[in-house]
Amino acid sequence: MRIALPVISALIVLAGLPQAAPAQGDFPSRPIRIVVPFLPGPAPDAVARIAGEALSQRVHQPVIVENRAGAGGTIGADYVAKSAPDGYTLFLATEAPLGISPATYGKLGYDPVKDFAPISLLATSGFYLVGCPKLPINDVAGLIALAKTRSVSYATSGVGSYHHLTGEMMKMRGGFDMVHVPYQGASAAMVDVMNCAVDVGFVAVGSVLPQIKSGTAKFKVLAVTTQRREPETPDIPTIQEAGIPGVDMEGYYGLLAPKGTPRPVLDKLSAELAEVMKTKKVIDRIEALGMHVVASTPQVFGERIRTDLDKFGTLAKEVNLHVQ
């Protein structure tokens, strides 16, 4: 059978074209991965699992949480930035890899604006300043006074982390000194605070609120880093109320995809997450962990990323913080 020349030409042209992205109605057709750039357990991991479970029920596909921890979240960020832009690999980001690391690291393998497509903010969380249970003080004023009589140490989840910047900001604006002790993750830092190997540290509200509310916490809570008190612990003052001005540090948790992910796929994910974050079950679970649900449009999330880049860039210069 002979095929007409125009038909052959058309077939050659079609064969050379890239395969069309799946239509919005076809997505997802297989499991979705949410990459969390931190260890299992703490607040980012919890948010990913709560949102992922609810998202799975809506899209009728498994949503798998994969932890790729290290280097302040930059390992996971770099991995997702280089993943296929098809909507099947998502990034549960915090301000650490998207705002702080670009301000403190000399060079990264990704650009927080150019290499990611924001989908939605999911939640925000403050941090508690907590102390060793044997520490002879109960508030920030006592900590400042103690630091003027002996060396005081503070534990963080790593050099260049949110905790690190908060501690350096406190020192600079409070006029006192503390010795920084970095750990590989917030959990390890908290263990040594509770064991009194270090004096104080920072921990996400959501990570320790259950222990505080049940009265089983093995540490002292000195203050909260946000501009307002936490509704679940109204008796705990803010660092600003304790006398150190300008300390307002509230972290976020949000989902992004690699840049180049088809717009219909991003719109589908954004729409589904907007519904997920309205459900009572998700709200109750997130608020029970001391976090606040903040579902947003991709545009709002993108603006938060750009604002944080400016904020942390300025702060890193003020405290002269550079990670090698």
Side-chain angles (χ1 to χ4, degrees), residues 7-23:
V7 175
I8 295 174
S9 299
L11 290 173
I12 293 172
V13 170
L14 288 172
L17 291 175
Q19 293 295 313

Side-chain angles (χ1 to χ4, degrees), residues 22 29 64 72 86 118 132 154 156 234 247 277 279 286 306 310 319:
S29 59
I64 303 162
D86 54 15
C132 153
Y154 77 101
T156 75
V247 178
M277 303 311 289
T279 61
I286 287 180
R306 289 186 289 272
D310 291 338
V319 301

Side-chain angles (χ1 to χ4, degrees), residues 17 57 61 74 91 96 98-99 120 127 134 145 153 193 213 271 273:
L17 291 175
Q57 293 170 0
Q61 288 289 343
T74 60
F91 184 41
L98 297 186
S120 177
F127 297 85
K134 298 178 182 178
S153 57
V193 171
K213 292 177 67 175
L273 282 166

Side-chain angles (χ1 to χ4, degrees), residues 118-280:
I119 298 171
S120 177
L121 281 168
L122 302 178
T124 60
S125 173
F127 297 85
Y128 288 125
L129 171 65
V130 299
C132 153
K134 298 178 182 178
L135 207 62
I137 55 102
N138 295 299
D139 52 31
V140 173
L143 179 65
I144 295 173
L146 182 65
K148 293 179 179 179
T149 64
R150 70 165 175 84
S151 175
V152 168
S153 57
Y154 77 101
T156 75
S157 56
V159 175
S161 65
Y162 205 76
H163 302 162
H164 188 190
L165 274 176
T166 304
E168 294 303 301
M169 180 192 293
M170 281 184 61
K171 288 165 51 178
M172 181 182 67
R173 297 180 182 173
F176 67 105
D177 194 24
M178 295 189 294
V179 177
H180 179 219
V181 183
Y183 286 79
Q184 292 293 321
S187 297
M190 272 302 297
V191 168
D192 271 7
V193 171
M194 292 186 290
N195 291 337
C196 295
V198 288
D199 293 310
V200 297
F202 298 94
V203 62
V205 169
S207 296
V208 295
L209 187 61
Q211 298 98 298
I212 294 172
K213 292 177 67 175
S214 66
T216 60
K218 297 179 180 179
F219 48 82
K220 292 185 176 183
V221 184
L222 307 181
V224 66
T225 63
T226 50
Q227 197 170 28
R228 64 188 183 280
R229 295 190 183 197
E230 283 292 326
E232 295 284 343
T233 53
D235 294 334
I236 297 173
T238 68
I239 291 176
Q240 291 192 67
E241 288 176 326
I244 302 180
V247 178
D248 179 15
M249 301 288 270
E250 183 173 53
Y252 67 73
Y253 312 96
L255 272 180
L256 306 96
K259 203 73 167 184
T261 300
R263 175 51 55 187
V265 171
L266 293 173
D267 289 344
K268 169 88 171 185
L269 287 167
S270 179
E272 294 293 354
L273 282 166
E275 294 302 315
V276 161
M277 303 311 289
K278 291 178 186 176
T279 61
K280 185 177 186 302

